Amino acid sequence: MKNNFIILLILLTIILSFSACNTLKYVSENEKMLIDNAIIVNGKKNVDNEINDYIVQRPNQLVLGVPIPLHFYNLGNKNYETNYDKWKLENPNWYKFTSSVFSDKQTRGLRNFKYNMHQWYLKNGEAPVIFDSKKALQTVGNLTQHYYNEGYFKAKVSFEEVAVKNKKLKINYKIETDKLFTIDSISTNIESKVLDSIYIANSKHSFIKKESPFKLSLFVNEQNRLSDLFRNSGVYRFNKNAITFEADSSNFTSDVALIINDSIGGVPFKIQKIKRINVFTDYSYNTKDNPVNDTVQYEGYTFLSHKKLKYNPKYLLNTIFIEPNEVYKDITRELTRKHLRGLNNFRSVDIKYTELEDDMLEANINLTPLEKYSVGISTELTHSNIRQLGISGKLSFSNRNVFKGAEILNFSIQGSFLDSKDAADNETLLNAWEVGGDVSLELPRFFLPFKSDKIVQKSNSPKTTFTLGTSLQKNIGLDKQRFTGIVDYTWETSKYEKHSFQLLNAQFIQNLNVDSYFDIYKSEFNEIQNIASTYFNQEITTTNVIPFINDNIDANFEQTNPTEFRIAQNIKKRHNIITEDVLVPAIAYTYTLNNSENYKDKDFSFFRARIVSSGNLTTLLSNEKDENNVKTLLKTPIAQYIRTDLEYKRFWNISLENILAFRSFLGIAIPYNNSKTIPFSRSYFIGGPNDLRAWRIYNLGPGSSQSGLEYNVGNLKFISSLEYRFKILNSIKGALFVDAGNIWDITNSSVSLPEEKFNGFKSLQDIAIGSGFGIRYDLSFILLRLDLGFKTYEPYLPKGEKWFNNYNFNHTVYNFGISYPF
């Protein structure tokens, strides 16, 4: 409680110190500082943030209710040079004394340093917002136009100044909307018979309907709808400027007339078809006039190249949706451009149309290829408490269009040399190492023994990726060797929906340094050593822990010491899971829904569901069994389990630079038949910089247990986070967050402690809660993050001590990360 009081005292001191600052330092006597805007519509205060966007002049930015950027600005001295010269004249003795103590050069340097410091405050802070009546009038104009566009043609907008003491004021924008104008009747005057027939066939989709509000947005939407409709119906020459609306209004109703010309530039509108399609596979502006040396005709398309044609027309057509003898459509043009760019083989994609003499069209698809080969090199230095020094490097190589079908072959090797305390030779520098390699082949189509066009169309961007990878370790942990093979099929069913089906996601894990387990996981060794010395008066070593458990921790010991029995058996179980060589042959399906429009979108939702099944087919085909009657392949146990993960994220753009972010995750993994546990690499853990930030990774759970072991895992996980993100100063941003979650054991293992198991709603009291704040520095291309997590609710503590018991800086978890946690 003492530490909690100190934290509260520090926060109150900071807030009070800012509040005590003179916010009016740079507000002159004849000026007023704007501190608030309010929009009052028909006598009621507006709560619609969209309307607030029309306000031209806004008050100073608040951070948690305090104008921190303004206070920061006020730390600077705008008149430092003038004040300094004045001080020299008014205090000649002090100036003479300073000059005699310091040299002229040092005096000038000190002066320049202080001047630059003041300029830095002024540049990075925010000047007080001085009320400007001209900007208030601009806001009146904006609001008047907004309500006019919404159909309130007689709306009246004004503003009033509300004086506040100490040269501050508030502005109230008052709006009287009067009655809304509606559409009474709709008539059409479409001179072109071609356009008129298309319009009539699709008129039921019109945005303009009788009795609907007379809103500008409806007319803009209708103009765009008709333009898209005509241009996707073959009318290549059509331009939306050919559409006009006329309205006759009276008594708050309007008669609307839709008028469309029959030609553009004197040329009548017609439905035009595509006669020829030319695909230039090595187009360059500098060589566009060079002779074409290779031409291939394929299914009505002409493929051309200045050099030898390097792309197989059959596969390139999988991304071209413009078809010969079909009517022109904007949508096929955009689909073609999108999918060709998605191949990541071309620097630019340009599609142009030329009108021929017979009113037919010629499409020219100009593709500028990227370099066929690319190489990347990266290096990194690392440091931690266990690994004093680390040097790592990665070399990557890419080969585009490797089989002439726009495929991409990626190959990378990476290696690390470390100074590890765990190594046997811990006196030698860089005594541990890890090397690995990955090779992947990405095909812009489904690679299957049968045609899949009817299952997944080419407009769904089907892709197949084959991946092989391995990593080898020496003097790192248990010296794991990993071998991975993945066959992944991905496709999109809409702009927001993506699917992934991994026909194979196999991983083989082998441990070469099992004997050092209890040297590395010392807390587990200490637990067993304590049991051995207390109950058996024995001293054990790290190499005979498991034999000791097998020989002594039996049914007789359980009858007298059930708690210690479970602890020992649990440690044995963890040892077996972590040291087990295992084969994980999984099949997985992932569905992702993300309605974000682009990377700048700050108001969107995200949902992902993934289901994984491992070992079903492999155990069915295998006839091998080990001494424990577990089916194996190549003498390696086959993991058999099913796992389901659900994740949901939602982001709300509350106001400028203020975002509320929510994330929730639920995962369940159930072993069965051939397996009694989930492989360690596929189990759930909790904690860390992107998870439950008040606990370190692997440091919590399962349930309300407090094992004190290095690695705690479970097969049920729930976590939920709420984070408020806000701007503090320029590129410096802040966050307040609350994380809640835990992991549990849902197997029927007899050695698991009762507090580790999930027992329905009763176990919800085991959900740990952490809260804290973060500082982030946004470099535009990367975001650096520091989050401080405080243990708010600890489910493993005694009743009455769970809340805020360790809520202090002594138990703070510092999380360093790159980018946002979710």
Side-chain angles (χ1 to χ4, degrees):
M1 290 302 295
K2 179 181 178 181
N3 287 323
N4 294 339
F5 177 76
I6 293 173
I7 295 172
L8 181 61
L9 185 62
I10 292 172
L11 292 175
L12 287 174
T13 302
I14 294 173
I15 294 172
L16 290 173
S17 63
F18 272 127
S19 301
C21 292
N22 181 15
T23 58
L24 304 174
K25 179 178 179 180
Y26 290 118
V27 180
S28 61
E29 289 299 324
N30 58 344
E31 293 177 331
K32 296 285 186 179
M33 188 175 79
L34 180 64
I35 62 169
D36 188 31
N37 287 316
I39 296 179
I40 301 171
V41 182
N42 297 328
K44 296 182 179 180
K45 190 172 182 178
N46 169 69
V47 294
D48 186 358
N49 283 328
E50 182 182 351
I51 298 178
N52 291 329
D53 293 339
Y54 294 99
I55 298 176
V56 175
Q57 190 176 38
R58 301 170 184 272
N60 288 97
Q61 177 190 335
L62 300 178
V63 178
L64 303 179
V66 179
I68 291 179
L70 172 61
H71 289 309
F72 201 80
Y73 181 89
N74 287 339
L75 291 175
N77 186 347
K78 294 169 62 175
N79 304 311
Y80 176 76
E81 289 180 304
T82 304
N83 292 344
Y84 181 79
D85 292 337
K86 183 179 179 181
W87 175 81
K88 284 197 312 182
L89 294 174
E90 294 179 352
N91 301 275
N93 292 332
W94 272 109
Y95 178 72
K96 183 177 179 180
F97 172 77
T98 304
S99 300
S100 63
V101 174
F102 302 101
S103 67
D104 289 339
K105 183 177 180 180
Q106 290 174 327
T107 304
R108 287 194 303 271
L110 179 61
R111 174 194 174 281
N112 291 336
F113 171 78
K114 295 181 68 175
Y115 171 78
N116 292 331
M117 180 61 71
H118 285 292
Q119 290 299 311
W120 187 79
Y121 286 134
L122 296 170
K123 181 180 178 180
N124 290 279
E126 184 182 25
V129 177
I130 306 302
F131 172 68
D132 187 341
S133 60
K134 292 181 180 179
K135 292 182 178 180
L137 290 173
Q138 290 177 6
T139 299
V140 168
N142 291 345
L143 291 171
T144 302
Q145 186 63 50
H146 166 73
Y147 280 95
Y148 187 90
N149 293 341
E150 291 295 301
Y152 297 96
F153 297 152
K154 295 186 178 182
K156 295 180 180 179
V157 183
S158 62
F159 75 91
E160 68 172 355
E161 301 178 21
V162 180
V164 182
K165 64 179 182 178
N166 297 331
K167 297 187 290 185
K168 299 177 182 178
L169 61 78
K170 299 180 180 179
I171 299 298
N172 290 334
Y173 293 97
K174 294 186 175 181
I175 303 167
E176 297 295 333
T177 62
D178 210 328
K179 290 179 63 178
L180 175 67
F181 277 68
T182 59
I183 297 174
D184 185 49
S185 65
I186 306 165
S187 61
T188 61
N189 181 10
I190 304 175
E191 298 177 6
S192 169
K193 293 183 179 179
V194 172
L195 300 185
D196 189 48
S197 62
I198 297 173
Y199 173 83
I200 292 173
N202 296 273
S203 59
K204 64 180 181 179
H205 301 297
S206 176
F207 286 94
I208 303 173
K209 302 181 183 298
K210 186 176 181 179
E211 297 182 356
S212 63
F214 195 102
K215 297 174 64 172
L216 176 64
S217 59
L218 296 178
F219 289 90
V220 172
N221 291 339
E222 179 66 3
Q223 186 183 45
N224 291 332
R225 182 187 77 89
L226 292 177
S227 178
D228 292 341
L229 174 64
F230 295 143
R231 290 186 64 83
N232 285 310
S233 299
V235 189
Y236 169 73
R237 297 173 185 148
F238 189 82
N239 187 297
K240 66 180 179 181
N241 292 329
I243 303 173
T244 57
F245 295 96
E246 291 184 357
D248 183 13
S249 301
S250 64
N251 196 27
F252 297 100
T253 61
S254 297
D255 298 322
V256 176
L258 167 64
I259 302 171
I260 303 178
N261 299 330
D262 65 344
S263 63
I264 184 168
V267 181
F269 294 121
K270 290 184 178 180
I271 294 177
Q272 295 176 270
K273 290 187 175 182
I274 299 168
K275 185 175 184 179
R276 293 194 297 267
I277 303 173
N278 303 316
V279 183
F280 295 87
T281 60
D282 61 350
Y283 176 84
S284 171
Y285 181 81
N286 295 329
T287 61
K288 61 184 177 64
D289 296 325
N290 291 356
V292 174
N293 294 315
D294 196 357
T295 303
V296 174
Q297 299 288 339
Y298 184 80
E299 295 189 356
Y301 296 81
T302 303
F303 293 82
L304 307 100
S305 178
H306 296 295
K307 299 178 181 178
K308 184 175 177 58
L309 189 65
K310 296 179 180 179
Y311 289 88
N312 188 326
K314 175 183 176 181
Y315 295 128
L316 207 56
L317 280 184
N318 288 332
T319 53
I320 297 177
F321 298 84
I322 304 168
E323 298 182 0
N325 300 316
E326 294 291 329
V327 299
Y328 169 85
K329 294 181 180 179
D330 269 356
I331 190 171
T332 58
R333 183 181 192 174
E334 291 306 313
L335 272 174
T336 300
R337 180 183 287 111
K338 172 190 172 183
H339 284 74
L340 284 170
R341 286 176 176 170
L343 294 176
N344 295 320
N345 268 246
F346 304 105
R347 181 179 293 108
S348 67
V349 177
D350 185 33
I351 303 175
K352 294 182 178 179
Y353 288 85
T354 303
E355 292 193 66
L356 305 177
E357 293 180 354
D358 54 358
D359 281 333
M360 298 287 280
L361 297 174
E362 180 183 66
N364 293 304
I365 303 174
N366 300 322
L367 306 176
T368 304
L370 291 163
E371 293 293 333
K372 181 174 177 59
Y373 303 105
S374 61
V375 178
I377 300 175
S378 62
T379 59
E380 184 180 17
L381 289 175
T382 60
H383 170 74
S384 68
N385 292 332
I386 297 176
R387 299 168 185 176
Q388 296 299 304
L389 177 66
I391 301 174
S392 62
K394 181 178 181 180
L395 174 65
S396 58
F397 169 81
S398 296
N399 182 354
R400 295 181 179 87
N401 194 35
V402 60
F403 299 122
K404 296 188 176 182
E407 306 89 356
I408 300 177
L409 177 67
N410 293 309
F411 174 72
S412 66
I413 54 174
Q414 52 272 345
S416 301
F417 294 91
L418 309 167
D419 178 26
S420 176
K421 290 182 178 180
D422 296 331
D425 180 15
N426 56 21
E427 295 182 357
T428 303
L429 185 65
L430 301 180
N431 51 18
W433 53 264
E434 179 177 8
V435 296
D438 297 280
V439 59
S440 68
L441 177 64
E442 182 180 299
L443 288 72
R445 55 191 175 275
F446 276 177
F447 185 81
L448 292 168
F450 56 87
K451 288 188 176 182
S452 59
D453 297 350
K454 294 182 179 179
I455 301 174
V456 176
Q457 299 178 354
K458 68 177 186 178
S459 59
N460 297 138
S461 302
K463 289 183 181 179
T464 306
T465 304
F466 299 94
T467 304
L468 289 174
T470 183
S471 65
L472 311 173
Q473 297 178 343
K474 183 65 176 176
N475 292 334
I476 300 175
L478 303 181
D479 290 353
K480 289 184 182 292
Q481 290 186 345
R482 291 185 177 90
F483 300 92
T484 304
I486 300 173
V487 180
D488 189 13
Y489 297 93
T490 61
W491 69 99
E492 302 173 3
T493 49
S494 72
K495 179 181 178 181
Y496 308 112
E497 293 179 295
K498 295 182 179 179
H499 306 260
S500 169
F501 176 68
Q502 292 183 336
L503 182 63
L504 177 67
N505 186 335
Q507 187 177 58
F508 171 72
I509 301 173
Q510 184 177 24
N511 298 281
L512 303 181
N513 190 20
V514 175
D515 292 339
S516 66
Y517 178 87
F518 288 102
D519 290 316
I520 297 169
Y521 305 115
K522 293 180 180 178
S523 63
E524 301 190 13
F525 173 72
N526 293 336
E527 290 272 9
I528 296 298
Q529 190 177 51
N530 183 55
I531 293 175
S533 60
T534 303
Y535 298 97
F536 299 94
N537 197 27
Q538 292 186 26
E539 290 295 328
I540 61 174
T541 65
T542 57
T543 57
N544 67 347
V545 172
I546 298 302
F548 168 79
I549 295 176
N550 291 335
D551 294 340
N552 298 281
I553 310 300
D554 52 17
N556 293 328
F557 182 76
E558 181 183 13
Q559 290 180 358
T560 56
N561 304 282
T563 301
E564 288 73 15
F565 173 83
R566 283 196 298 267
I567 290 174
Q569 292 295 334
N570 202 18
I571 289 175
K572 178 183 176 182
K573 182 182 73 171
R574 291 172 188 271
H575 170 272
N576 293 338
I577 292 175
I578 295 178
T579 62
E580 179 185 30
D581 296 339
V582 64
L583 175 65
V584 186
I587 297 175
Y589 168 74
T590 305
Y591 169 78
T592 304
L593 174 63
N594 185 349
N595 63 9
S596 173
E597 294 293 336
N598 51 59
Y599 72 95
K600 294 182 179 180
D601 196 351
K602 298 177 181 178
D603 199 319
F604 66 96
S605 59
F606 172 94
F607 172 75
R608 179 170 59 201
R610 177 177 172 85
I611 183 168
V612 181
S613 176
S614 173
N616 290 336
L617 180 61
T618 312
T619 54
L620 186 65
L621 298 177
S622 175
N623 293 320
E624 298 179 9
K625 289 186 179 181
D626 61 13
E627 63 275 9
N628 297 318
N629 202 34
V630 174
K631 283 194 173 184
T632 63
L633 182 65
L634 301 176
K635 298 182 179 180
T636 303
I638 301 169
Q640 191 170 16
Y641 65 89
I642 187 168
R643 169 173 164 160
T644 301
D645 297 339
L646 301 173
E647 183 179 21
Y648 175 75
K649 293 186 283 189
R650 181 72 172 94
F651 301 86
W652 294 272
N653 188 19
I654 299 175
S655 60
L656 186 65
E657 301 284 355
N658 288 268
I659 296 172
L660 187 64
F662 171 79
R663 180 267 309 266
S664 189
F665 174 89
L666 176 65
I668 303 173
I670 302 175
Y672 61 96
N673 288 353
N674 204 54
S675 297
K676 294 182 179 180
T677 59
I678 304 297
F680 180 77
S681 62
R682 304 298 174 96
S683 297
Y684 297 109
F685 61 87
I686 201 164
N690 299 319
D691 209 272
L692 192 61
R693 284 165 280 186
W695 279 264
R696 300 191 187 280
I697 191 170
Y698 291 107
N699 213 22
L700 176 66
S704 59
S705 65
Q706 193 176 23
S707 67
L709 305 178
E710 279 90 352
Y711 288 88
N712 296 289
V713 295
N715 49 6
L716 170 64
K717 177 178 179 178
F718 170 77
I719 185 170
S720 201
S721 300
L722 186 66
E723 182 170 286
Y724 175 59
R725 301 168 183 170
F726 52 89
K727 178 181 177 181
I728 297 177
L729 203 67
N730 289 345
S731 298
I732 302 175
K733 305 193 176 173
L736 299 174
F737 61 84
V738 176
D739 303 324
N742 209 333
I743 54 174
W744 292 268
D745 178 24
I746 57 172
T747 65
N748 294 320
S749 174
S750 60
V751 299
S752 294
L753 298 174
E755 56 265 31
E756 295 179 355
K757 294 180 176 294
F758 184 80
N759 298 305
F761 288 105
K762 180 181 178 182
S763 293
L764 295 181
Q765 64 185 359
D766 297 340
I767 294 177
I769 301 176
S771 57
F773 62 91
I775 299 293
R776 291 91 189 268
Y777 189 72
D778 191 351
L779 297 173
S780 71
F781 63 92
I782 194 173
L783 183 134
L784 305 178
R785 172 168 57 92
L786 170 63
D787 288 339
L788 280 69
F790 298 90
K791 295 177 175 61
T792 308
Y793 176 83
E794 301 173 77
Y796 43 77
L797 294 180
K799 188 176 181 180
E801 300 179 15
K802 298 177 184 290
W803 286 97
F804 302 105
N805 189 66
N806 292 302
Y807 198 86
N808 51 62
F809 281 103
N810 289 335
H811 295 87
T812 302
V813 175
Y814 298 88
N815 299 280
F816 295 92
I818 295 176
S819 188
Y820 290 106
F822 59 90

